[in-house]
Amino acid sequence: MADEALFLLLHNEMVAGLYRAAEQGEGENGRCTTKLESMGFRVGQGLIERFTKDTARFKDELDIMKFICKDFWTTVFKKQIDNLRTNHQGIYVLQDNKFRLLTQMSAGKQYLEHAPKYLAFTCGLIRGGLSNLGIKSIVTAEVSSMPACKFQLQLTSVMSMCRKMIRPARRYKDITKTLEEIGGCWILLVTTFV
Amino acid sequence: MSRPPGRKQDSHKISRELFVLTYGALVAQLCKDYEKDEDVNSCLDKMGYGIGIRLIDDFLAHSDVKRCRSYSETADMIAQVAFKMYLGVTPSVSCSSAAGNEFSLILDKNPLVDFVEELPVERASLCYCNLLCGVIRGALEMVHLAAEVTFLQDKLKGDAVTEIGITFLRKTEDKKAKKK
């Protein structure tokens, strides 16, 4: 579909343009990754809003992750995530064996050092999408052999924070103390029924 | 999960929105990086040029078009085939010079500004869609047609329509048939 080519080319030009400007200017490459990531964040926030306008409410975190891996990834990158792994404690690893933004670049180890530049925008996209679904996250990416890449997500939604605190703490006093620290009377009310 | 009908159209729409949102984020970032509007405009034009020189291959591969025999055919091709294919709109073409080498594409609806209300006051001379000019210029250059492409009117600046002016620069000599 013609739309793919436009976004692909725009993305590549953005990366190239930003790094070229950085070379001519201060020469600070670190900022380019931040800029790309924050652009992706803005786009992800807007996109997820428009995308989930008519979908049903998500049941839990895993439901959201499945949505990201299937519907979201298919719409943006025309394929699903190949492998989703989690430790059920807020860490998810999304593996894409043929990441569309890298397929045109190389198939193997060539240009591996340039790959992270082309992943920053997508990391921001995921982080922005999750943020507008109520999940704060830290997204990083790694590439060992193009075009496969892995996105690591560390999620911290309010629900997962509560679960983490309630499970190990056995005494009621411990639970209320920790919850008071993060603040919010409504959380205390919820835990009285636990 | 059963899919509602029309899902495919939704995904095309979302793809296009992805492009439009990404473009918006890019312009916003460039406005943060550069103080002068001319710098932002020229940066967008350069990026558009880089996209255009590559997009032409994709265009020729996906559309089954014959060689254009005149400037007006080329302008029609850009408006009716290329714009339709990539942006989903069909601007109207008008020839604005007796010599037959100046054309203007008039866009009633510009999808790139779908999410833009208005330009900020301090960015009054920003050509928001300058990328398009670079794309057209780059694409034409790759088919050996030198052209100058600029925005003549812009809805975001208060004009009635958005008008892109294409001026073909010199008469091409023999146009050899391209083997596809």
Side-chain angles (χ1 to χ4, degrees), chain A residues 15-191:
Chain A
V15 176
L18 274 177
Y19 276 87
R20 201 169 36 225
E23 264 170 46
Q24 288 164 359
E26 308 103 46
E28 267 202 56
N29 271 346
R31 281 225 223 129
C32 293
T33 320
T34 318
K35 284 185 197 171
L36 281 167
E37 214 262 350
S38 59
M39 284 203 276
F41 184 77
R42 289 173 69 150
V43 176
Q45 282 185 313
L47 205 64
I48 205 85
E49 266 177 12
R50 308 191 64 78
F51 201 4
T52 55
K53 224 171 22 166
D54 299 320
T55 51
R57 186 186 285 267
F58 296 111
K59 294 193 285 285
D60 58 13
E61 217 172 71
L62 191 59
D63 211 25
I64 295 181
M65 289 313 303
K66 284 193 197 156
F67 172 79
I68 299 270
C69 294
K70 289 195 202 154
D71 298 313
F72 187 72
W73 215 258
T74 311
T75 306
V76 177
F77 298 114
K78 309 292 180 277
K79 66 182 284 291
Q80 291 186 5
I81 284 280
D82 294 308
N83 197 343
L84 169 66
R85 285 203 294 266
T86 175
N87 66 353
H88 295 289
Q89 282 175 3
I91 308 243
Y92 293 83
V93 178
L94 280 62
Q95 186 169 340
D96 191 336
N97 291 331
K98 214 175 161 199
F99 189 51
R100 282 206 61 245
L101 299 180
L102 294 179
T103 41
Q104 310 275 345
M105 236 182 279
S106 92
K109 307 272 183 193
Q110 197 185 18
Y111 300 125
L112 201 60
E113 64 278 9
H114 296 291
K117 299 183 202 173
Y118 293 86
L119 297 171
F121 184 84
T122 311
C123 289
L125 200 71
I126 302 173
R127 190 167 70 87
L130 288 173
S131 130
N132 255 13
L133 290 173
I135 300 181
K136 274 216 175 90
S137 58
I138 301 173
V139 185
T140 52
E142 67 165 274
V143 186
S144 50
S145 163
M146 304 232 252
C149 67
K150 289 196 197 143
F151 294 93
Q152 280 113 6
L153 281 68
Q154 266 177 288
L155 307 195
T156 47
S157 67
V158 176
M159 291 314 297
S160 72
M161 270 198 313
C162 289
R163 252 182 276 127
K164 263 189 247 170
M165 277 166 219
I166 289 167
R167 248 188 260 123
R170 290 179 206 279
R171 294 187 308 168
Y172 179 68
K173 271 196 212 158
D174 286 339
I175 299 172
T176 48
K177 190 155 178 266
T178 16
L179 288 172
E180 267 168 349
E181 274 157 30
I182 55 173
C185 308
W186 65 272
I187 302 175
L188 286 173
L189 282 172
V190 165
T191 51

Side-chain angles (χ1 to χ4, degrees), chain A residues 1-7 9-11 13-14 17-18 20-21 24 35-36 38-40 42-43 46-47 50-51 53-55 67 70-71 74-76 78 80 121 125, chain B residues 1 3 7 10-19 21-30 32-34 46-51 54-55 58 62 85-87 115 131:
Chain A
M1 191 56 234
D3 297 333
E4 310 170 9
L6 262 185
F7 173 67
L9 289 171
L10 179 65
H11 176 262
E13 271 306 313
M14 262 173 15
L18 274 177
R20 201 169 36 225
Q24 288 164 359
K35 284 185 197 171
L36 281 167
S38 59
M39 284 203 276
R42 289 173 69 150
V43 176
L47 205 64
R50 308 191 64 78
F51 201 4
K53 224 171 22 166
D54 299 320
T55 51
F67 172 79
K70 289 195 202 154
D71 298 313
T74 311
T75 306
V76 177
K78 309 292 180 277
Q80 291 186 5
F121 184 84
L125 200 71
Chain B
M1 188 166 83
R3 283 175 177 260
R7 190 78 185 198
D10 283 346
S11 83
H12 284 330
K13 200 166 75 103
I14 302 275
S15 289
R16 191 151 289 150
E17 283 176 0
L18 171 66
F19 175 71
L21 286 168
T22 309
Y23 183 66
L26 171 67
V27 177
Q29 184 65 47
L30 289 176
K32 268 193 233 164
D33 289 342
Y34 297 106
K46 264 189 249 159
M47 285 197 190
Y49 180 78
I51 294 178
R54 295 171 177 95
L55 197 67
D58 184 78
H62 279 114
M85 193 194 278
Y86 292 111
L87 294 177
F115 302 119
L131 194 98

Side-chain angles (χ1 to χ4, degrees), chain B:
Chain B
M1 188 166 83
S2 66
R3 283 175 177 260
R7 190 78 185 198
K8 211 173 175 195
Q9 277 139 356
D10 283 346
S11 83
H12 284 330
K13 200 166 75 103
I14 302 275
S15 289
R16 191 151 289 150
E17 283 176 0
L18 171 66
F19 175 71
V20 173
L21 286 168
T22 309
Y23 183 66
L26 171 67
V27 177
Q29 184 65 47
L30 289 176
C31 287
K32 268 193 233 164
D33 289 342
Y34 297 106
E35 278 177 20
K36 291 202 206 144
D37 292 343
E38 295 82 44
D39 291 337
V40 180
N41 290 342
S42 72
C43 197
L44 284 172
D45 191 66
K46 264 189 249 159
M47 285 197 190
Y49 180 78
I51 294 178
I53 57 178
R54 295 171 177 95
L55 197 67
I56 186 72
D57 285 332
D58 184 78
F59 172 69
L60 291 173
H62 279 114
S63 69
D64 201 15
V65 293
K66 303 266 184 307
R67 181 164 56 105
C68 291
R69 291 172 194 285
S70 68
Y71 289 144
S72 73
E73 260 191 61
T74 314
D76 285 335
M77 190 68 68
I78 296 174
Q80 282 153 19
V81 188
F83 264 85
K84 183 92 183 103
M85 193 194 278
Y86 292 111
L87 294 177
V89 291
T90 314
S92 53
V93 187
S94 68
C95 181
S96 52
S97 86
N101 66 336
E102 278 177 32
F103 296 87
S104 53
L105 305 174
I106 297 172
L107 284 151
D108 296 319
K109 190 168 139 352
N110 186 356
L112 284 184
V113 305
D114 268 347
F115 302 119
V116 182
E117 291 256 343
E118 56 181 14
L119 291 177
V121 178
E122 62 271 13
R123 294 278 175 193
S125 55
L126 175 70
C127 284
Y128 184 84
C129 303
N130 220 26
L131 194 98
L132 288 179
C133 294
V135 172
I136 299 176
R137 186 169 62 91
L140 286 173
E141 197 171 301
M142 285 294 118
V143 290
H144 306 294
L145 289 172
E148 255 174 34
V149 189
T150 47
F151 267 93
L152 300 173
Q153 289 189 77
D154 197 345
K155 253 187 180 162
L156 282 179
K157 294 187 188 159
D159 300 315
V161 288
T162 307
E163 191 180 340
I164 303 176
I166 308 179
T167 309
F168 293 98
L169 285 179
R170 56 171 193 275
K171 212 155 167 53
T172 52
E173 282 108 46
D174 266 345
K175 275 199 247 186
K176 307 268 181 235
K178 280 190 293 266
K179 289 229 166 83
K180 300 229 174 95

